[in-house]
Amino acid sequence: MKLPPFDYACPTTLPEAVQLLATSNGDAKAIAGGQSLVPMLAFRLAQPSLLVDLRKLPDLRGIRISAKGVTLGAMVRWRDIEDDERLDTAHPLLKAAIAHVAHYQVRNRGTVGGSLAHADPAAEMPGIAMTCDAEIAVVGKSGAHVIQAADFFQGALTTALTPDEIIVEIRLPAWPAGRRWGFEEFARRRGDFAMAAAAVFYDQDANGKAHNAHVGVIGVADRPLRLPAVEDVLNGRAIDATIIAKAEAAASAAVDPQDDIHASAAYRRALVGTLVERALKRAAA
Amino acid sequence: MRTVNSLIGSPIERLEDLRFLRGRGQYVDDLARKDMLHAAILRSSVAHGRIRSIAVAAARALPGVHSVITAKDIGNRVPRVPMRLQPLPDFEPFGQPVIAETKVRYVGEAIAVVLAETAAIAEDALGLIEVEIEPLPAVADRRASAQDASLLFEDKGTNLAIKFRAVRGDAAAAFADAPYVRRESFRTQRHMALPLEPRGLLAEWDAARGRLTLSGGAKVLFFNRRTLAKQMGLPESAIEIVENDVGGGFGARGEFYPEDFLIPFAARHTGRPVKWTEDRREHLMCVNHAREAECDVEIACKRDGTILALRGHAYVDVGAYMRTNGAVGARNVAQFMSGPYRIPHIDVDVALQLTNKTPVGTYRGPGRFETDFFRERLLDMVAQDLGLDRVEFRRRNLVSQREMPYQIATITPFESKDEFDSGDYQTTLDRCLDEIKWTEKSKLAGKLIDGRYHGLALGCFIEGGAAGPKESARIVLEPDGLYSVYVGSSAIGQGLETAFAQIAADALEVTIDRIRGVFHGSTCYVDDGYGAYHSRSVVMGGSAMLDAAKNLREAIRAQAAQRLGCQPSEVEIVEGSKAVGPGGKSIALNGLSSEGISAEGAFLNKKHTYTYGAHAAHVAVDAKLGHVELVDYVVVEDCGRIINPLTVHGQAIGSVVQGLGGAMMEHLVYDQEGQLLTGSLADYLIPTASDFPNIRAIVMGDHPSPINPLGAKGAGEGGIIAAGGVMANAVANALSAFGAQPRELPLTPTRVWELAQAPRK
């Protein structure tokens, strides 16, 4: 459980950081809060030759809120989100989801960019990114570009990032007032990785019908999922008990979880339905 | 003159706390020595296989590596880890070599030891050792073990280590006439003690004097010294084992493990101090596992609920080797399946099956947690069948006070006879029912309220204590008039220093500040000691201390008599500070002897104490999540004469929490290849501060034990023993609309959800 040997660099500019990653033949790792990477080093599941510490890069910090939406710098920590009262209205779903991330010691260190790059299939931030059609801005040796969340997550601990790329920020589209939403997570203990979680939101028209429904789940596949089949159940309908029951069934039918040491596939399938149902009840309340 | 004891029974704060709270505890990993080497251990990643080759040259060549030790370096026949308890000849062929010789038999078994200048370099070098292992089919569970298709020990021709049998009366005859019989199978899962501080050792070899000092000892230091002396070919007197502060024991820490040989050997081999600190992953795969038991049992009753007989079979997965106390859990599964209940006819056998998994040992309430789950589940099923009230059914069958001492089932082949010493089992049951408000809460049973089903359950238990044969103590009146207390039992976090200071001060008739210190564990304090297990430290060590105090007071009187010119019988010791002779002539004790006066004491005992009590739980089950919320939990126990109600209460609460961990979450999961899948605390789930906030403990001291002068009984295990059965019964009660009958632990969300999948009645 001692860390393997590696070199360490702490660049002060983004180009310098990209350069360090680009010249290490894919053998370097960027480190932000270290809450996933350091345990992986301790278990020697990761043995990079170089750690590039992002802590001195000023461009990666800060939460910006504008008419276009919420932008989270990659080095924003969970604690920054929890403490930002503007987010109560600017993005309540984000705030509710992040409250489930690990324990406060981890929340003081763990970062938005680190979680996205690590891409744990049960992590909340990737789930919110998927559910909310987020854009992930990255910079690499060929310059800056934007990756849609739907293209970013490619499998368990696998993303579209190339070894020289660093996440700069994540942009969540604007959150209109009056949007209905719910977030439900179940973990065996508070702060554990989610057995599953569901994030839902929709907007309502003048007749009380839902549109623009977004339903995302984590913990049931190799990456966070959107569930279009459930969204189809919701769009154009008033969200009542009948529709919620249909959505629950559609959610269970839409996922194909595997057995693992913490839960059976059948249980997880039912759990996703239950969490979608409860999130929708909360949204409709 | 003080004639009344006032400290025993007082809730005085732990003397240890100030030291710990100020960060002045000293754990073995806090120790460092000049020129110290760090050890890292290469462990088998294969569950079962034959070692073909071990190539260490590359590891040895890594800068900073001093040496690499394998079985070849140790000698002709690698020493075995001995059986400390039940050392039957039957177990000898299944002993664990302290380092793998020809075969590996579990994932985590030591293959090589690297010694390097830093722990990180030592770990780097592990990756450079090349081991070739020819894999053999892994024996992954007790069923595969019983088939004997793949053998752990080919010479023996069987994977069955031994079969114990618990017998009382004539079960066959009782079953032949029984009006009601129910047969059931149950299973408890492999889990472990998991002290928060992993193990650690620091060995120092003094070549000039031929002496070894080993720090990091715990629990049973004298036994470990005897073992190590034999293995290293040293006289016992050449070895000192030092007890440091420990972050929890719970049965697992301090037993003799392979490292207890390997690290001292490495120190002698290299001539340098060697330190090894176990990491969490090693801890999960190397420290004794426990609790993996199954049973297939039948109970016979009269229609009025009088239990007639119990018979059947139990199976314990003991892992790859029989080591130290690995047979205790299995024995207890059979011997204590009847619990505190009057079951006149018993015939239960238990097979100890070897598998390619980590060897087992005792964990707080060994065998008792498992067997109480089996029994208390069975009792609820019987009550339901016979239309009896769960409480009255139990009440009718509890052993009564007038039956004491009550003979329980005898174990063969080693004739372990045992009896309950004393107590009134009805009183703890009544108190428990009162505390949880059973009558009022019974109205909630099975009800769906705000989306959750409420359930209520209770169970009764007994907890053995006071293992013999002996404990030793020594008290010294120091020249300055203060008293130093030395004991042979060990501190594993149970507040030993506080309890012994209370006992010694009362016995010496002094205030507690006159006790200079309680010195325990390390092999240098008394000639012999038996340590901390089987809830014995206070009962045995405390009783030895009474003897030492009596002897010391006699020695003081004799010395004072010489100075006062009278007979010892004419001397009175007043307030522990002066000796008064005839005519009021007196002498202060702090001037009595320039060397101090020392006296030893001992307590010898073959009988056991039996603490007893009851648990009750109120749960609310979210059937769709499979989540069980603990609304209220009460444990009531009577542990005889209470030395310190505060520490006993703390132990009871902690014990319940551990029991709830075993009931609800803890599980060491293996796959069919014998790979441990729960290798970190992210996957091996233990209760944390927010999981079970609602636990209450009531400790009574109404029935002192008649078998020791203190009247004390063991404490600290009662909270864990009934937890599995009670939680399972509470879930069954909550989900009674679904006909839920849990037969297996832990009660994971998946399992609880499955129990609620049947159509509602």
Side-chain angles (χ1 to χ4, degrees), chain A residues 1-5 42-44 186 188-190 192 195 248 261-264 266-267 270-271 274-275 277-278, chain B residues 119-120 123-124 279 281 622 624-625 627 664-665 669 677-681 683 685-686 688 691 748-750 753:
Chain A
M1 298 283 245
K2 303 291 178 207
L3 305 190
F43 278 108
R44 302 200 173 207
F186 182 56
R188 292 191 61 184
R189 299 172 302 187
R190 181 80 189 177
D192 277 347
M195 301 272 272
E248 177 183 354
I261 58 170
H262 294 300
S264 72
Y267 166 78
L271 177 63
T274 299
L275 295 173
E277 177 225 331
R278 291 182 183 186
Chain B
E123 194 172 329
D124 294 346
D279 66 36
R281 182 172 44 177
D622 185 325
K624 290 190 81 180
L625 297 182
H627 180 249
M664 310 308 291
M665 17 174 116
V669 181
L677 303 181
T678 47
S680 81
L681 293 184
D683 287 324
L685 306 184
I686 54 170
T688 55
D691 291 311
T748 60
T750 298
W753 172 80

Side-chain angles (χ1 to χ4, degrees), chain B residues 498-518:
Chain B
T498 309
F500 282 160
Q502 289 175 267
I503 295 168
D506 271 2
L508 295 164
E509 298 185 2
V510 299
T511 51
I512 202 158
D513 56 357
R514 302 289 302 283
I515 306 297
R516 185 175 69 102
V518 174

Side-chain angles (χ1 to χ4, degrees), chain B residues 168 307 310 332-343 346 348 367-368 371-376 379 394 397-399 404 406-409 419-420 425 459-464 610-613 721-722:
Chain B
R168 190 184 196 275
I307 303 174
L310 180 69
N332 288 357
V333 164
Q335 191 167 25
F336 297 98
M337 197 177 277
S338 49
Y341 302 101
R342 182 192 315 103
I343 303 186
I346 297 171
V348 175
R368 301 170 195 271
T371 213
D372 273 42
F373 167 70
F374 303 158
R375 181 191 67 246
E376 293 296 332
L379 293 187
R394 285 177 171 82
N397 290 292
L398 281 174
V399 171
M404 298 290 173
Y406 178 86
Q407 180 85 40
I408 62 167
E419 62 186 30
F420 299 157
Y425 296 178
C460 302
F461 73 92
I462 39 141
E463 168 196 352
Y610 280 93
T611 291
Y612 55 90
I721 290 171

Side-chain angles (χ1 to χ4, degrees), chain B residues 46 101 114 176 196 216 226 277 299 335 372 432 447 476 515 563 569 606 666 672 702 717:
Chain B
V46 174
E101 269 180 308
V114 173
L196 274 187
R226 279 197 292 281
T277 302
I299 189 167
Q335 191 167 25
D372 273 42
C432 190
K447 290 253 168 66
V476 178
I515 306 297
R563 300 273 289 271
S569 60
K606 284 183 182 164
E666 297 187 38
Q672 285 302 302
D702 294 347
E717 301 186 78

Side-chain angles (χ1 to χ4, degrees), chain B residues 568-634:
Chain B
S569 60
E570 295 173 299
V571 178
E572 250 190 281
I573 300 170
V574 178
E575 293 286 330
S577 63
K578 59 182 176 182
V580 182
K585 224 172 115 186
S586 78
I587 180 166
L589 297 192
N590 63 7
L592 193 57
S593 162
S594 56
E595 298 95 57
I597 302 173
S598 174
E600 299 195 347
F603 181 62
L604 285 79
N605 175 35
K606 284 183 182 164
K607 293 186 173 179
H608 294 151
T609 60
Y610 280 93
T611 291
Y612 55 90
H615 291 210
H618 172 198
V619 301
V621 180
D622 185 325
K624 290 190 81 180
L625 297 182
H627 180 249
V628 180
E629 188 202 341
L630 187 61
V631 180
D632 194 11
Y633 199 101
V634 176

Side-chain angles (χ1 to χ4, degrees), chain A residues 1-5 41-44 47, chain B residues 38-42 62 65 114-116 118-129 277 279 281-282:
Chain A
M1 298 283 245
K2 303 291 178 207
L3 305 190
L41 293 171
F43 278 108
R44 302 200 173 207
Q47 303 211 22
Chain B
H38 296 262
I41 297 171
L42 180 71
L62 186 73
V65 171
V114 173
L115 302 158
T118 71
I121 294 173
E123 194 172 329
D124 294 346
L126 296 183
L128 300 173
I129 300 176
T277 302
D279 66 36
R281 182 172 44 177
E282 285 183 294

Side-chain angles (χ1 to χ4, degrees), chain B residues 679-758:
Chain B
S680 81
L681 293 184
D683 287 324
Y684 184 80
L685 306 184
I686 54 170
T688 55
S690 59
D691 291 311
F692 303 114
N694 304 320
I695 298 171
R696 295 183 286 144
I698 315 282
V699 185
M700 299 164 74
D702 294 347
H703 294 274
S705 176
I707 65 164
N708 66 75
L710 268 178
K713 296 184 177 185
E717 301 186 78
I720 204 169
I721 290 171
V726 168
M727 288 303 284
N729 280 342
V731 169
N733 184 244
L735 300 179
S736 55
F738 304 92
Q741 296 291 8
R743 290 179 172 85
E744 197 171 341
L745 294 178
L747 299 160
T748 60
T750 298
R751 204 162 269 146
V752 172
W753 172 80
E754 284 168 352
L755 288 168
Q757 292 311 296

